[in-house]
Amino acid sequence: MADGSKTAEGAWCGHSRATPAGYMPGFGNDFETESLPGALPVGQNSPQHTAYGLYAEQLSGSPFTAPRGSNERSWLYRIRPSVLHGRGFRKTALPLWRTAPATAEHDRPIGQLRWGPVPIPEEAVDFLTGLRTMTTAGDVNTQVGMAAHIYLATASMEDDYFYNADGELLVVPQLNGLLFFTEFGKIAVEPGEICVIPRGVKFKVTLLNGPSRGYVCENYGAKFTLPNRGPIGANCLANARDFKTPVAAFEDREGGCRLWVKWCGTFHVADIGHSPLDVVAWHGNYAPFKYDLRHYAPVGAVLFDHPDPSIFTVLTAPSETAGTANVDFVIFPERWSVAEHSFRPPWYHMNIMSEFMGLIYGIYDAKPEGFTPGGMSLHNCMLPHGPDKDAYEKATRLELKPVRISNTLAFMFETRFPQHLTRFAAELTTLQADYAECWARLEKRFTGGK
Ligand SMILES: [Fe+2]
């Protein structure tokens, strides 16, 4: 919240400026930006002679022939073309970053699972080396599915740069902020904000204010986009103007650098003699962005019952089947709860989709105990879950006055594919072995028997 503020009641006042310096507003716009005057060619993409001796290069996020509405590409004007950044790779390993399919990493039986926050390590790890995979789903080789990760970063990436050929990265900081210096410019994110780094975009990550922890959804499938609103209409949920894409920024830096690449679950590194973040200007609609989750305008029940949690979808990555997401990013933000004669928490249910949840701050209303900021839960395909005993008791006894659910922000990565636990997740010391006991005290209440 570098330039925002909250009222005493916790209501978000907004930024002092609608779009902070260094960013451009909008979702999926055709942006153009240059960090040196005249660096962008006018009226064409690939002139015979470019300003400042730059190389023109296209980065395609969709097939060339994708329909206009889903066609995404950007033109980058850079000091060196990417072929000078991407030669002479040698294989390397980041063994805790797992990739689907990875279906037989442990012997745990099925079950609802929950973890406490993972402690920040003592040793120096950066965003790459501190990334640990919790679950994988689908198959990276067919570009379907996702992985849920956490990151623990105690050091900045200085000479190391990275791009991911396997998917886009949706980053959800939970403790302290990060600065993503990407080919397209700089994105600073704090807890309460997210950023999305598209597939193939090079970047490095530095710490903003100390050791950082958070969550990452690696989406192997179609890009995240805004969900359709249907009868809700043209406004609310995540509004396009609140997404911020960085203006161009570059490093003209010679010296020893390394470029890391993730490709079909394997890792490769190349020594290069310069920074690959050398894009002086760019235009197009394939670019990273950030979003402040406190700008999300939730829609909910105004009389009784409540909609499915999909009403809180921020971004959706569709699959080929309509309404069946490869992965949805859903939040549970501050809101009023006003429904009459209704059980207000999330109901008991089983779901074909698989739900990985995290808590950024505050208390989640269905689990007032045990689900702590930085923690995680996994409710997999067709495994029952719902409010714990205390939440049930409270919800059934509560006087149904309007209640403001304040100072809370939880989220969910929800995918159509079963999520497979990694060995790291199965053996994590913060795994709460007694999690399912939160339902054990729910007694038989049946009054229709003999
Ligand atoms: Fe659920």
Side-chain angles (χ1 to χ4, degrees), residues 173-440:
Q174 186 272 320
L175 177 69
N176 289 327
L178 297 174
L179 179 70
F180 286 80
F181 192 163
T182 77
E183 289 179 287
F184 291 73
K186 297 178 181 178
I187 300 180
V189 280
E190 299 275 359
E193 299 179 312
I194 59 165
C195 70
V196 172
I197 310 295
R199 190 193 302 259
V201 171
K202 304 175 191 77
F203 65 93
K204 68 176 177 179
V205 185
T206 53
L207 305 180
L208 274 179
N209 36 24
S212 184
R213 178 175 59 208
Y215 310 89
V216 177
C217 178
E218 182 182 10
N219 170 25
Y220 309 142
K223 282 187 79 243
F224 277 115
T225 189
L226 294 173
N228 290 320
R229 293 191 185 90
I232 294 171
N235 301 289
C236 292
L237 312 185
N239 291 302
R241 69 180 285 245
D242 296 321
F243 290 81
K244 312 296 182 188
T245 286
V247 299
F250 68 97
E251 290 183 322
D252 181 11
R253 179 182 166 205
E254 306 296 315
C257 298
R258 288 175 294 273
L259 179 67
W260 298 63
V261 179
K262 180 174 188 278
W263 194 94
C264 284
T266 60
F267 291 88
H268 310 262
V269 67
D271 294 312
I272 56 178
H274 48 266
S275 168
L277 304 182
D278 61 357
V279 178
V280 177
W282 64 268
H283 77 84
N285 63 351
Y286 188 70
F289 58 82
K290 67 181 253 179
Y291 175 71
D292 190 326
L293 298 170
R294 291 153 299 197
H295 289 163
Y296 186 84
V299 171
V302 291
L303 194 58
F304 63 89
D305 279 355
H306 61 75
D308 290 303
S310 48
I311 195 71
F312 294 142
T313 301
V314 180
L315 292 165
T316 184
S319 72
E320 283 80 2
T321 305
T324 307
N326 185 67
V327 55
D328 282 334
F329 175 62
V330 178
I331 60 170
F332 301 93
E334 296 193 357
R335 61 202 182 274
W336 282 91
S337 185
V338 299
E340 299 173 348
H341 54 79
S342 300
F343 184 77
R344 289 180 174 177
W347 46 61
Y348 295 101
H349 76 132
M350 294 171 62
N351 190 355
I352 191 170
M353 305 288 275
S354 294
E355 308 171 1
F356 178 92
M357 281 190 68
L359 184 60
I360 301 167
Y361 54 76
I363 294 170
Y364 178 61
D365 60 332
K367 300 279 167 49
E369 300 286 335
F371 186 38
T372 52
M376 299 151 278
S377 69
L378 178 64
H379 300 132
N380 235 325
C381 176
M382 289 301 169
L383 279 171
H385 52 285
D388 63 21
K389 167 71 174 175
D390 293 339
Y392 179 85
E393 290 295 332
K394 183 179 173 188
T396 49
R397 291 176 181 168
L398 187 72
E399 184 188 354
L400 293 179
K401 299 181 298 189
V403 173
R404 193 178 195 285
I405 302 173
S406 294
N407 186 33
T408 183
L409 187 57
F411 74 90
M412 180 163 65
F413 302 147
E414 183 175 69
T415 172
R416 67 177 299 185
F417 302 105
Q419 293 190 42
H420 294 276
L421 209 59
T422 61
R423 178 177 299 145
F424 170 81
E427 297 177 354
L428 197 51
T429 56
T430 65
L431 179 63
Q432 299 172 359
D434 61 346
Y435 169 47
E437 294 304 303
C438 73
W439 297 295

